Amino acid sequence: MRLAAKVEKIDTSPTLAITARANALKAEGEDIISLGAGEPDFSTPTHVKEAAIKAIEEGFTNYTATVGIKDLREAICDSIKEDRGVEYSSDQVIVSSGAKNSLFNAILALVEEGDEVILPAPYWVSYTEQIKFAGGRPVVVDTLEENGFKLTVEELKQAITPKTKVLILNSPNNPTGSVYTKGELEKIAQVIIEEDLFVISDEIYRKISYEAKATSIVSLGEEIKKRTVIIDGVSKAYAMTGWRIGYGVGPTKVIEAMARLQSHSTSNANSVAQKASLAAIAGTQKPTEEMLKAFDKRRDIITDVINDIEGMKANKPKGAFYLFVNIKDLLGMTVKGRKVEDDLTLAELILEEVGVAVVPGTAFGKEGYIRLSYATSEEDIKEAISRIKGFVELYS
Ligand code: PMP
Ligand code: GLU
């Protein structure tokens, strides 16, 4: 049997694969700590779980509208107005089965055979594969550590060709924790408008900003708002990864196209999870604030210890819950007769030798780095980084 060529081009998500490997080793009784998954270790807030229980008890178990229940879409508009100061109507919102699903709908709605999509690297793992699946070409633009891994306007201009259709922005960023400033976004927005391009702005980590609140590109005026679809969801902000609710917000024409696709694929996002998400978005934000405080404390711990290890260095993240560590000075070391030539080998050896799962930078299109997720307990973080420290000190 021959599989479709479209699917042969796609790789399994490396972040999910590493998490699955760490879980399998744990199940075999190995002492593994995972700094692999980008998944909050907190439980979903109680009032959110209660809303789901109520929905089940009340029999809210049928199909919903393809684009999601109206009160959830309205709550999303209200939260965007409050948080980003920008108005949308509920027909400019589509609720999907996770932000990943909203993103896929957006890419399929916008990108066609031969279109180029500008993707600053390091990038989150699913963008490239979704673009390729749509028949588009990811134009990967390597960003520099000294620029905080952010795309400069010069780099953007250089990457644009007559085939360019979309720019993917992700701020706060996975895997670097970088956040674009208002000034940086203004310059980018100006080029997007001049060149008549479109932006997919993945803002899934927006609520996890540690310093100033992250700026959303849609808040920079009507012209750029008309050319942007926001991707967001409840997975990270409310510790709801398993509920699978995300959403896309943007121009009606794009949202309608995404809805047509969704009507033939997933029909609608899970009805009970939509009610739970309504409670999360419209209800108290206290649990999110508490989680943010905990992430912030962990961020300090992990950044300090890692920068203390000779051969490792990392910028302090401004958002999300990842530390992106430069390990270039460790390349060339030998571990039990095996030469560490790249980040892939280093990540593999850290897992094999000291039982800590991390993601190699190559998975994000950036060699010479590893990503550590600190969305895990403080105790596990401390133990994991002390193991990494011991490993480096022993072999380097
Ligand atoms: N965008 C980014 C940058 C992510 O890290 C993730 C990780 N899950 C997603 C989108 C998808 O989120 P969801 O769990 O809602 O599908
Ligand atoms: N986005 C998270 C990560 O980067 C979860 C895994 C995934 O969906 O890729 O680890």
Side-chain angles (χ1 to χ4, degrees):
M1 201 244 320
R2 197 162 48 85
L3 289 173
K6 260 189 155 173
V7 137
E8 294 284 20
K9 284 192 279 190
I10 308 294
D11 284 330
T12 302
S13 163
T15 42
L16 294 181
I18 284 160
T19 309
R21 175 142 187 246
N23 287 342
L25 288 169
K26 263 191 231 172
E28 283 166 19
E30 302 250 355
D31 175 17
I32 304 289
I33 303 175
S34 181
L35 302 187
E39 169 161 49
D41 57 315
F42 301 102
S43 183
T44 300
T46 307
H47 74 281
V48 174
K49 291 182 192 161
E50 283 168 359
I53 293 166
K54 185 159 173 272
I56 295 174
E57 283 172 351
E58 288 177 352
F60 194 72
T61 51
N62 295 331
Y63 292 130
T64 71
T66 296
V67 288
I69 55 176
K70 189 145 195 240
D71 35 1
L72 174 55
R73 286 182 287 121
E74 282 172 352
I76 290 167
C77 293
D78 291 346
S79 90
I80 291 184
K81 169 111 201 282
E82 195 192 315
D83 184 41
R84 297 165 174 93
V86 179
E87 297 226 24
Y88 285 96
S89 57
S90 58
D91 61 355
Q92 294 179 303
V93 179
I94 180 171
V95 177
S96 310
S97 305
K100 203 180 265 186
N101 184 210
S102 291
L103 182 74
F104 204 16
N105 286 332
I107 289 178
L108 288 174
L110 291 164
V111 178
E112 59 189 331
E113 213 61 46
D115 283 347
E116 292 182 355
V117 179
I118 297 181
L119 188 57
Y123 49 74
W124 176 53
V125 297
S126 292
Y127 300 138
T128 43
E129 307 313 283
Q130 294 192 358
I131 296 164
K132 284 193 275 174
F133 188 82
R137 192 169 83 80
V139 174
V140 174
V141 181
D142 192 34
T143 64
L144 299 176
E145 187 168 353
E146 54 265 39
N147 294 335
F149 300 106
K150 290 185 277 187
L151 178 75
T152 65
V153 78
E154 291 75 26
E155 289 162 346
L156 171 62
K157 281 182 185 161
Q158 259 181 9
I160 294 173
T161 76
K163 289 187 175 162
T164 308
K165 183 84 178 277
V166 175
L167 164 69
I168 297 193
L169 272 182
N170 173 217
S171 172
N173 184 270
N174 175 7
T176 65
S178 296
V179 174
Y180 283 79
T181 64
K182 187 171 178 218
E184 289 161 348
L185 288 175
E186 275 168 349
K187 287 191 201 150
I188 289 176
Q190 202 185 337
V191 175
I192 297 295
I193 296 165
E194 277 165 17
E195 300 284 340
D196 197 19
L197 303 178
F198 202 84
V199 178
I200 296 180
S201 182
D202 182 345
E203 303 181 7
I204 186 97
Y205 294 101
R206 183 174 168 77
K207 284 202 183 282
I208 307 166
S209 302
Y210 302 104
E211 291 158 23
K213 202 189 235 181
T215 303
S216 168
I217 195 160
V218 295
S219 68
L220 302 178
E222 250 335 281
E223 279 305 307
I224 190 69
K225 183 185 166 213
K226 280 199 295 205
R227 290 175 167 80
T228 304
V229 58
I230 302 173
I231 303 294
D232 201 342
V234 296
S235 293
K236 318 287 173 174
Y238 304 100
M240 291 179 69
T241 47
W243 297 77
R244 309 307 304 130
I245 297 289
Y247 49 88
V249 184
T252 315
K253 192 174 166 189
V254 179
I255 299 299
E256 275 174 5
M258 290 165 70
R260 287 204 294 278
L261 280 166
Q262 183 157 295
S263 75
H264 292 294
S265 54
T266 58
S267 296
N268 59 262
N270 177 295
S271 61
V272 173
Q274 288 190 56
K275 284 284 189 187
S277 301
L278 173 60
I281 293 170
T284 171
Q285 300 299 298
K286 265 242 136 45
T288 303
E289 286 157 20
E290 292 301 318
M291 284 187 249
L292 183 63
K293 270 190 216 150
F295 288 139
D296 198 5
K297 189 163 170 226
R298 298 169 186 183
R299 171 177 80 123
D300 282 343
I301 297 170
I302 198 164
T303 312
D304 288 352
V305 177
I306 290 296
N307 277 310
D308 213 34
I309 301 176
E310 221 173 299
M312 290 192 163
K313 59 178 192 297
N315 293 334
K316 192 166 187 171
K318 291 195 161 47
F321 34 60
Y322 307 105
L323 190 74
F324 202 55
V325 187
N326 182 327
I327 52 86
K328 288 177 192 164
D329 287 348
L330 294 178
L331 298 180
M333 76 186 197
T334 305
V335 177
K336 295 191 173 159
R338 201 164 152 200
K339 190 145 183 226
V340 181
E341 309 261 24
D342 52 30
D343 53 87
L344 295 157
T345 315
L346 185 70
E348 219 173 279
L349 285 167
I350 291 176
L351 181 61
E352 276 169 24
E353 294 300 315
V354 290
V356 181
V358 304
V359 187
T362 298
F364 308 100
K366 193 83 173 164
E367 288 173 22
Y369 294 81
I370 56 172
R371 186 192 79 173
L372 312 182
S373 162
Y374 52 94
T376 189
S377 74
E378 203 176 303
E379 196 190 338
D380 276 358
I381 290 170
K382 284 183 178 156
E383 171 62 20
I385 49 186
S386 120
R387 289 187 195 182
I388 293 175
K389 192 168 191 255
F391 169 85
V392 173
E393 282 171 358
L394 185 63
Y395 294 110
S396 65

